[in-house]
Amino acid sequence: MPPAVRFGVNYTPSEGWFHHWLDFDLDSVRADLDAIAALGLDHIRVFPLWPYFQPNRTLIRPRAVDQLVALADAAAERGLDVNVDGLQGHLSSFDFLPAWTRTWHRRNLFTAEDVVDGQAAYLRTLAAALADRPNFLGMTLGNEINQFAAGPHPDPDRITADEAERWLVRLLAACAEGAPGRTHLHASYDAAWYQEDQPFTPAHSARLGAVTAVHSWVFNGTAQRHGRDSVPAEHHAAYLVELSKAWAEEPDRPVWLQEVGAPAPLVPAEHAAAFTEATVGNALDCPDLWGITWWCSHDVSRGLADFPELEYTLGLLTNDRRPKDLARVLAASAREAHPAPDVRGTALVVPADPARRPRCAPGGPVFDAFFRLVADGVRPTTVLDTRADDKEHLAARGITETVTPDQVLPTPHGGTRS
């Protein structure tokens, strides 16, 4: 029997957002976690803010680490496992980088040896503090840390793909040193899959770390092009799960849908529950899905300024901890038994060359062909063009048919390209 799919939520504290670390209130955290546990979810992903925890390269605040452990223990009391994101990094349009990496102390986040030494010490410390907690799942290096390495970030620390890989390998090793045997991973936003000059590549996501993480947001052009209730919008999370498998070296590598949400106004509040139900149901039709972790637990308080409008309403719960309709949808799915889905036997051929990633992005031929197949009732997966004739690889994945985008998409005169 394959393991059951995990259902969880990215924990956004109801009081103070992630600034709650400055005024840590364990009673407030416990009330938040009570509301999360009441939905029947089994894990949370938590976000220590890097500058608050490591304000100087050689100072990792013991009290902050103790508070993180207290949060994990409170989660355990409520039956919740915990994944910890270390390098925050970037959250909800705000960057949180310690002063020792910026302005007068500006050094590349990924290649400056002393900076990376400091990051490794920080991640190792957090992991070690939680290593003996049974409910500690493991570390994620940071939240969408790849956004610091290329545009559209306004001030990126540019690196090569080889430099990105060395950084990932070094810091994943630091996590394993702190907490051996746990599920340590890294997470990129979808530029890793779609943007030609992004140095964090699909191969990095699908081959480094214990599981592959994907973050699905339909405000990336999907909902704008196709609408909130379209096949591409409702299957976008499933698409990223299946797209990731083209680069994986193990045929059954787990994939974690680590972030997915219903962003207004592209998904209006009155349609959020339907979008959630469709998105979750379609993701559950993907073999080897480790889990679904919704973004996010609680709405951002309107008392906090300058967030993009959509960030205020992404919670399963309101700011005063009341469940919304989409929370009830996710809770119902979390409580159901989900049989393992059948193998996906049809594979769409995708380019292995990272410079050709835009073909996989919204509006690209791989993207459009995938959803044409879905609309026609096919359950596609993906395979690299360099493996499309590898019978042993195809057999290991249960793939019986490969198709190219040109064979799927209609020509301007009707029919399909030959």
Side-chain angles (χ1 to χ4, degrees):
M1 278 289 290
V5 174
R6 307 291 302 265
F7 284 85
V9 68
N10 292 275
Y11 174 43
T12 50
S14 63
E15 295 184 20
W17 191 65
F18 298 109
H19 304 300
H20 83 135
W21 296 111
L22 293 171
D23 300 292
F24 188 74
D25 182 347
L26 191 55
D27 287 339
S28 177
V29 168
R30 286 171 174 146
D32 287 347
L33 298 180
D34 284 339
I36 292 169
L39 298 176
L41 305 181
D42 61 41
H43 70 275
I44 57 174
R45 179 172 167 232
V46 303
F47 302 86
L49 290 187
W50 183 18
Y52 299 171
F53 276 64
Q54 191 183 24
N56 182 273
R57 185 164 57 86
T58 57
L59 172 61
I60 301 166
R61 295 176 51 243
R63 185 173 182 182
V65 176
D66 289 346
Q67 290 168 341
L68 176 63
V69 173
L71 190 157
D73 287 345
E77 292 166 0
R78 289 150 180 83
L80 296 167
D81 289 342
V82 174
N83 171 267
V84 176
D85 267 62
L87 299 170
Q88 271 30 270
H90 178 83
L91 289 166
S92 303
S93 85
F94 291 97
D95 288 349
F96 296 94
L97 298 175
W100 50 271
T101 68
R102 300 291 90 186
T103 59
W104 300 105
H105 295 266
R106 175 63 182 267
R107 289 164 287 185
N108 191 291
L109 292 171
F110 307 102
T111 60
E113 185 174 350
D114 50 358
V115 172
V116 180
D117 285 347
Q119 294 168 341
Y122 172 59
L123 293 170
R124 188 184 306 112
T125 298
L126 296 189
L130 292 163
D132 64 347
R133 264 48 181 190
N135 70 320
F136 175 50
L137 293 170
M139 299 292 300
T140 301
L141 296 189
N143 184 56
E144 301 184 349
I145 200 76
N146 64 313
Q147 64 97 23
F148 289 109
H153 192 277
D155 186 24
D157 288 356
R158 295 193 181 275
I159 53 173
T160 67
D162 286 344
E163 288 169 333
E165 182 166 339
R166 284 194 291 273
W167 183 83
L168 290 168
V169 169
R170 169 79 189 284
L171 294 190
L172 286 167
C175 294
E177 290 163 8
R182 299 303 176 119
T183 302
H184 303 303
L185 67 150
H186 66 100
S188 291
Y189 85 104
D190 61 17
W193 309 100
Y194 294 158
Q195 186 173 312
E196 61 186 328
D197 66 341
Q198 169 60 233
F200 288 81
T201 68
H204 294 153
S205 290
R207 298 174 187 173
L208 299 176
V211 302
T212 300
V214 295
H215 292 187
S216 174
W217 290 103
V218 296
F219 55 56
N220 64 357
T222 300
Q224 293 92 327
R225 285 173 176 269
H226 301 284
R228 59 169 173 78
D229 57 355
S230 63
V231 167
E234 293 185 344
H235 289 258
H236 183 263
Y239 170 63
L240 280 175
V241 171
E242 292 302 325
L243 181 64
S244 78
K245 295 176 182 179
W247 282 271
E249 293 179 328
E250 303 93 354
D252 56 353
R253 178 174 166 90
V255 184
W256 181 0
L257 179 54
Q258 195 184 45
E259 278 189 26
V260 61
L266 293 170
V267 181
E270 62 270 25
H271 299 293
F275 175 83
T276 302
E277 184 174 18
T279 295
V280 170
N282 293 326
L284 289 170
D285 191 40
C286 297
D288 303 310
L289 182 70
W290 181 89
I292 299 172
T293 309
W294 201 261
W295 188 280
C296 54
S297 65
H298 297 77
D299 285 347
V300 177
S301 168
R302 291 282 177 180
L304 295 173
D306 300 327
F307 285 83
E309 179 60 28
L310 70 90
E311 299 287 350
Y312 289 102
T313 58
L314 286 171
L316 294 174
L317 303 149
T318 63
N319 189 241
D320 57 358
R321 306 188 180 105
R322 289 179 292 109
K324 304 179 189 177
D325 288 343
L326 77 167
R328 286 182 270 272
V329 167
L330 191 66
S333 192
R335 291 186 170 104
E336 292 172 3
H338 301 284
D342 293 334
V343 169
R344 293 184 173 223
T346 298
L348 183 65
V349 177
V350 304
D353 182 357
R356 300 179 69 201
R357 279 176 282 182
R359 294 176 62 84
C360 301
V366 170
F367 185 98
D368 289 345
F370 187 95
F371 292 113
R372 173 56 62 96
L373 290 169
V374 172
D376 289 344
V378 180
R379 298 171 59 250
T381 187
T382 61
V383 65
L384 295 183
D385 53 11
T386 53
R387 293 172 167 173
D389 296 320
D390 183 340
K391 293 181 180 179
E392 184 177 349
H393 174 77
L394 299 178
R397 294 184 56 197
I399 294 169
T400 57
E401 175 188 25
T402 61
V403 294
T404 66
D406 281 352
Q407 291 172 312
V408 175
L409 296 176
T411 67
H413 305 292
T416 57
R417 296 182 177 92
S418 59

